[in-house]
Amino acid sequence: MLEALIHRVKIRQADLHLALAHGVPASWDGYQRMVGEYQGLQLTLDMINAMLDEEKNQD
């Protein structure tokens, strides 16, 4: 289940990356929201990975 969540987060990041590369946001505010969403998803992945590493090191 956790793998599925990580996969979906990475898919959303890829979608945002492509949209930003193609200049999809029509406004500066839209651009900032998309970048913020991307960064938030990356922070989430970083936290999940850190938690998984901690769990693995405890075993």
Side-chain angles (χ1 to χ4, degrees):
M1 176 140 167
L2 192 54
E3 293 85 12
L5 173 62
I6 291 169
H7 180 71
R8 288 182 183 195
V9 168
K10 288 182 178 183
I11 288 173
R12 180 61 183 154
Q13 278 188 309
D15 291 344
L16 288 167
H17 181 83
L18 288 173
L20 289 167
H22 286 62
V24 168
S27 68
W28 177 247
D29 289 337
Y31 172 81
Q32 288 180 313
R33 278 192 300 275
M34 290 177 81
V35 169
E37 182 180 353
Y38 184 92
Q39 290 174 329
L41 291 170
Q42 186 59 53
L43 285 171
T44 301
L45 286 175
D46 292 345
M47 287 186 276
I48 290 170
N49 286 328
M51 291 172 70
L52 289 173
D53 287 344
E54 286 175 12
E55 186 176 292
K56 185 174 24 171
N57 290 334
Q58 288 179 357
D59 291 340

